[in-house]
Amino acid sequence: MKVLWTDQAFERLAEIEEYSARDDQATAERFIDRLIDRSQALADHPGLGHTLPELLGSDLRELVEGNYRIVYRLQGDTVVVLTVFEGHRRLPLDDLVLDDRLLPSSD
């Protein structure tokens, strides 16, 4: 499987890095790398995460890395990362709306 991050998810990563870099740029960069590396594990193990508790019955799943949640869905042979956010915050539902142009066809 391949792992695809949406533009929205990359924007969230940039926000996390910008905020964290206020204290230490190198540490912020390492943490962003950890989040990306964690999501890459889904290429070999797409069921690694668990069902999103806020939306039981949906096809959304999440991985946790530190205090952050990486929300994704499986679409054909692709893992689509929709958003990443700090776990104590509310799930950003607007981040879960997909623009079909971002994703490869599942046909």
Side-chain angles (χ1 to χ4, degrees), residues 2 14 18 28 30 37 46 85:
K2 60 185 169 186
E18 182 180 330
R30 283 192 302 274
D37 289 347
F85 65 102

PDB file of all heavy atoms in Angstrom, residues 2 14 18 28 30 37 46 85:
ATOM      1  N   LYS A   2       0.306   2.314  -0.472  1.00  0.00           N
ATOM      2  CA  LYS A   2       1.019   3.585  -0.379  1.00  0.00           C
ATOM      3  C   LYS A   2       0.295   4.483   0.607  1.00  0.00           C
ATOM      4  O   LYS A   2      -0.890   4.297   0.886  1.00  0.00           O
ATOM      5  CB  LYS A   2       1.136   4.241  -1.744  1.00  0.00           C
ATOM      6  CG  LYS A   2      -0.172   4.547  -2.411  1.00  0.00           C
ATOM      7  CD  LYS A   2       0.063   5.084  -3.802  1.00  0.00           C
ATOM      8  CE  LYS A   2      -1.274   5.114  -4.548  1.00  0.00           C
ATOM      9  NZ  LYS A   2      -1.118   5.482  -5.926  1.00  0.00           N
ATOM     10  N   ALA A  14       2.555  21.405   9.276  1.00  0.00           N
ATOM     11  CA  ALA A  14       3.283  22.680   9.257  1.00  0.00           C
ATOM     12  C   ALA A  14       2.928  23.529  10.471  1.00  0.00           C
ATOM     13  O   ALA A  14       3.810  24.170  11.074  1.00  0.00           O
ATOM     14  CB  ALA A  14       2.992  23.426   7.962  1.00  0.00           C
ATOM     15  N   GLU A  18       5.559  24.695  13.243  1.00  0.00           N
ATOM     16  CA  GLU A  18       5.740  26.131  13.522  1.00  0.00           C
ATOM     17  C   GLU A  18       5.569  26.423  15.012  1.00  0.00           C
ATOM     18  O   GLU A  18       6.362  27.143  15.619  1.00  0.00           O
ATOM     19  CB  GLU A  18       4.732  26.941  12.707  1.00  0.00           C
ATOM     20  CG  GLU A  18       4.859  28.435  12.895  1.00  0.00           C
ATOM     21  CD  GLU A  18       3.837  29.203  12.061  1.00  0.00           C
ATOM     22  OE1 GLU A  18       3.450  28.715  10.984  1.00  0.00           O
ATOM     23  OE2 GLU A  18       3.432  30.290  12.511  1.00  0.00           O
ATOM     24  N   ALA A  28      11.502  20.226  16.963  1.00  0.00           N
ATOM     25  CA  ALA A  28      10.260  20.282  16.184  1.00  0.00           C
ATOM     26  C   ALA A  28      10.388  19.467  14.900  1.00  0.00           C
ATOM     27  O   ALA A  28       9.486  18.699  14.548  1.00  0.00           O
ATOM     28  CB  ALA A  28       9.908  21.728  15.867  1.00  0.00           C
ATOM     29  N   ARG A  30      12.424  16.959  14.302  1.00  0.00           N
ATOM     30  CA  ARG A  30      12.492  15.531  14.640  1.00  0.00           C
ATOM     31  C   ARG A  30      11.101  14.975  14.951  1.00  0.00           C
ATOM     32  O   ARG A  30      10.766  13.855  14.559  1.00  0.00           O
ATOM     33  CB  ARG A  30      13.439  15.282  15.811  1.00  0.00           C
ATOM     34  CG  ARG A  30      14.899  15.332  15.431  1.00  0.00           C
ATOM     35  CD  ARG A  30      15.795  14.793  16.539  1.00  0.00           C
ATOM     36  NE  ARG A  30      15.649  15.485  17.805  1.00  0.00           N
ATOM     37  CZ  ARG A  30      16.295  16.594  18.149  1.00  0.00           C
ATOM     38  NH1 ARG A  30      17.167  17.142  17.299  1.00  0.00           N
ATOM     39  NH2 ARG A  30      16.117  17.155  19.322  1.00  0.00           N
ATOM     40  N   ASP A  37       6.995   9.231   9.917  1.00  0.00           N
ATOM     41  CA  ASP A  37       7.461   7.843   9.984  1.00  0.00           C
ATOM     42  C   ASP A  37       6.380   6.922  10.546  1.00  0.00           C
ATOM     43  O   ASP A  37       6.184   5.805  10.067  1.00  0.00           O
ATOM     44  CB  ASP A  37       8.722   7.723  10.843  1.00  0.00           C
ATOM     45  CG  ASP A  37       9.951   8.318  10.190  1.00  0.00           C
ATOM     46  OD1 ASP A  37       9.907   8.604   8.971  1.00  0.00           O
ATOM     47  OD2 ASP A  37      10.955   8.516  10.900  1.00  0.00           O
ATOM     48  N   PRO A  46      -1.892  -1.556   7.384  1.00  0.00           N
ATOM     49  CA  PRO A  46      -2.958  -0.545   7.340  1.00  0.00           C
ATOM     50  C   PRO A  46      -3.978  -0.650   8.469  1.00  0.00           C
ATOM     51  O   PRO A  46      -4.636   0.335   8.793  1.00  0.00           O
ATOM     52  CB  PRO A  46      -3.615  -0.770   5.979  1.00  0.00           C
ATOM     53  CG  PRO A  46      -3.219  -2.132   5.567  1.00  0.00           C
ATOM     54  CD  PRO A  46      -1.889  -2.409   6.199  1.00  0.00           C
ATOM     55  N   PHE A  85      -3.546  16.027  14.735  1.00  0.00           N
ATOM     56  CA  PHE A  85      -3.838  17.086  15.699  1.00  0.00           C
ATOM     57  C   PHE A  85      -3.503  16.615  17.105  1.00  0.00           C
ATOM     58  O   PHE A  85      -3.372  15.406  17.356  1.00  0.00           O
ATOM     59  CB  PHE A  85      -5.301  17.530  15.602  1.00  0.00           C
ATOM     60  CG  PHE A  85      -6.296  16.470  15.985  1.00  0.00           C
ATOM     61  CD1 PHE A  85      -6.905  16.497  17.222  1.00  0.00           C
ATOM     62  CD2 PHE A  85      -6.628  15.447  15.110  1.00  0.00           C
ATOM     63  CE1 PHE A  85      -7.816  15.516  17.590  1.00  0.00           C
ATOM     64  CE2 PHE A  85      -7.542  14.475  15.457  1.00  0.00           C
ATOM     65  CZ  PHE A  85      -8.134  14.513  16.699  1.00  0.00           C
TER      66      PHE A  85
END
